[in-house]
Amino acid sequence: MPPRHSRLSSAGRLAEFPLIEDLARRFGATGRSVLTGIGDDAAILRPPSGDLFLLTTDLLAEGVHFDLTTATFEAIGYKAAAANLSDIAAMGGIPRYLLVSLAIPSGHTQAEIRRLYRGMMSAGRPHRVELIGGDTSSSRQGLFINLTLAGTAKPDHILTRSGAQVGDLLYVTGTLGDSLAGLQLLTGAHGRPVRAGTSLSKEARRYLVERHLRPTPRLAVGQLLAKHRLATSAIDLSDGLSGDLTHICEQSRAGAEVDMLTLPLSPACLDYAEAYRKNPFELALAGGEDYELLITVSPKNKTKVERFARSFDCRLSCIGRIQSRKRGLTVIDPDGSSHKLAITSYRHFEAKSSVR
Ligand code: ADP
Ligand code: MG
């Protein structure tokens, strides 16, 4: 980065170098495979020998991906890191090194940026992710946060989107729709309760909001499936089931059929749907940011995968199957009728997003 533009205004409340020193001291990587972390012109790493690198990056723009009037710095940091961890989970990898670049508008304090990192590291530390560097710039308008996460995997232990075969079973971890319900509760988009006095319990509300703000990346599940070669393809659910299933189908040149009645719903999501007259299956199909894993499994591995699932700390539900590309993406409704799947996921640069 050319230094002329990269320095934060010293007249502002933040100065670039004290900020980096503070972040390095509190959150910087030491030891393990990081020979040099924050402090030199580039980080020096020694990855486990024979491993491949998996690299994922996300750019978050204020007003597009997060809103500082409704989310805390801690929550924004946690979720940004969780989204990247979830990408590594979907590839079956081990997350290892994190780079964080920021463009910070005037008016923010070092304490706020520290909270952002605290959130990121609270998502990453349980998985031993190490902060190894980044870049810091001022911004004329809005906060920008870029995370780059490197993971590693054995060459023959990698999950991709492209291996699904006709006849494979579709499985999903955890429950779906919770995050969208939580978002609607946070933003007031839930509407009024069906009847006066029908309201959601405090616990259910808290659960759904928590699922939106602090999703759990399914790393152990992804790694186990990869290691035992139990999945023919995998993706994490960031855009929503219908959108992400489309990605698997496109990459695998296949179609899929989802059985609506088998979509896993949490008790809180069902209560929410009842209180606010939402279709819980629609929430599950369209809702984004659940960060669960969607995987395809050959029928010959059905028993094995379901046996392994007992050791997961989340549910694993069979929700359909892969079919020929010609048959496309279809849904079996609760009444047994079959129809084409409507794809409802957020797309940037389109005049109108089809959901949210
Ligand atoms: P350069 O000008 O060579 O890019 P910098 O002064 O930007 O170097 O960075 C110095 C060190 O601090 C580097 O190790 C870099 O990776 C790290 N760093 C800079 N900004 C951040 C940040 N926001 N978070 C974490 N590490 C950072
Ligand atoms: Mg720099």
Side-chain angles (χ1 to χ4, degrees):
M1 246 281 167
R4 200 159 66 87
H5 299 297
S6 69
R7 279 204 80 139
L8 292 168
S9 150
S10 54
R13 283 192 279 171
L14 259 180
E16 181 182 354
F17 295 110
L19 172 71
I20 296 173
E21 264 169 43
D22 179 66
L23 295 173
R25 200 177 57 249
R26 288 169 191 275
F27 306 106
T30 47
R32 210 159 63 126
S33 56
V34 181
L35 306 186
T36 298
I38 296 175
D40 215 311
D41 289 315
I44 310 174
L45 311 173
R46 196 197 308 277
S49 71
D51 281 11
L52 298 181
F53 268 127
L54 307 170
L55 291 159
T56 178
T57 191
D58 264 326
L59 176 61
L60 307 183
E62 181 178 349
V64 179
H65 303 94
F66 61 88
D67 183 346
L68 285 170
T69 59
T70 54
T72 64
F73 279 87
E74 208 275 345
I76 294 163
Y78 177 93
K79 201 158 166 187
N84 275 262
L85 288 163
S86 180
D87 283 328
I88 299 293
M91 303 291 291
I94 300 171
R96 293 191 188 272
Y97 314 113
L98 180 64
L99 293 149
V100 180
S101 295
L102 303 174
I104 311 169
S106 61
H108 289 302
T109 64
Q110 192 153 317
E112 288 172 329
I113 302 303
R114 206 182 284 149
R115 286 205 288 279
L116 183 73
Y117 277 71
R118 207 170 282 144
M120 290 190 271
M121 296 316 282
S122 80
R125 267 211 195 96
H127 306 287
R128 303 208 295 159
V129 167
E130 298 177 288
L131 178 70
I132 58 158
D135 198 25
T136 309
S137 166
S138 56
S139 163
R140 293 238 175 118
Q141 206 169 31
L143 175 65
F144 293 84
I145 308 169
N146 169 239
L147 275 73
T148 301
L149 181 63
T152 57
K154 299 265 168 270
D156 50 355
H157 291 172
I158 294 180
L159 306 172
T160 65
R161 297 178 177 185
S162 59
Q165 302 283 330
V166 175
D168 282 357
L169 300 167
L170 265 180
Y171 284 87
V172 72
T173 60
T175 53
L176 303 179
D178 296 337
S179 179
L180 179 56
L183 175 70
Q184 291 180 347
L185 286 165
L186 275 174
T187 56
H190 47 73
R192 291 215 201 143
V194 179
R195 279 169 276 121
T198 335
S199 68
L200 198 61
S201 73
K202 270 207 189 92
E203 297 73 52
R205 186 192 157 88
R206 199 177 307 128
Y207 170 87
L208 295 170
V209 167
E210 187 74 0
R211 288 273 290 158
H212 178 70
L213 293 178
R214 296 184 73 86
T216 309
R218 302 295 184 191
L219 284 151
V221 175
Q223 287 161 14
L224 201 114
L225 293 169
K227 185 171 162 202
H228 296 277
R229 299 162 176 264
L230 287 173
T232 51
S233 73
I235 191 169
D236 69 316
L237 296 178
S238 51
D239 293 347
L241 177 61
S242 60
D244 289 318
L245 178 57
T246 307
H247 294 316
I248 286 219
C249 288
E250 279 168 1
Q251 298 278 320
S252 298
R253 302 177 174 281
E257 179 179 62
V258 172
D259 190 347
M260 195 90 123
L261 273 180
T262 61
L263 296 180
L265 299 165
S266 67
C269 186
L270 286 168
D271 287 353
Y272 170 78
E274 197 185 326
Y276 295 100
R277 200 178 284 159
K278 309 270 180 193
N279 180 340
F281 299 113
E282 290 297 334
L283 287 172
L285 266 183
E289 302 194 331
D290 280 315
Y291 295 110
E292 296 296 346
L293 295 183
L294 175 67
I295 60 164
T296 55
V297 174
S298 157
K300 72 173 196 291
N301 283 323
K302 180 182 193 310
T303 323
K304 207 166 169 190
V305 94
E306 289 178 1
R307 186 153 25 88
F308 268 111
R310 289 188 218 132
S311 70
F312 296 170
D313 54 2
C314 60
R315 291 158 70 166
L316 185 74
S317 312
C318 184
I319 61 164
R321 60 212 61 77
I322 296 293
Q323 60 190 8
S324 69
R325 192 179 193 184
K326 212 170 61 225
R327 296 186 67 178
L329 262 78
T330 52
V331 180
I332 306 175
D333 273 345
D335 66 8
S337 64
S338 172
H339 64 82
K340 281 250 172 290
L341 180 67
I343 295 154
T344 44
S345 62
Y346 188 88
R347 283 169 203 267
H348 291 276
F349 307 115
E350 286 184 6
K352 257 191 181 162
S353 63
S354 41
V355 90
R356 272 169 273 175

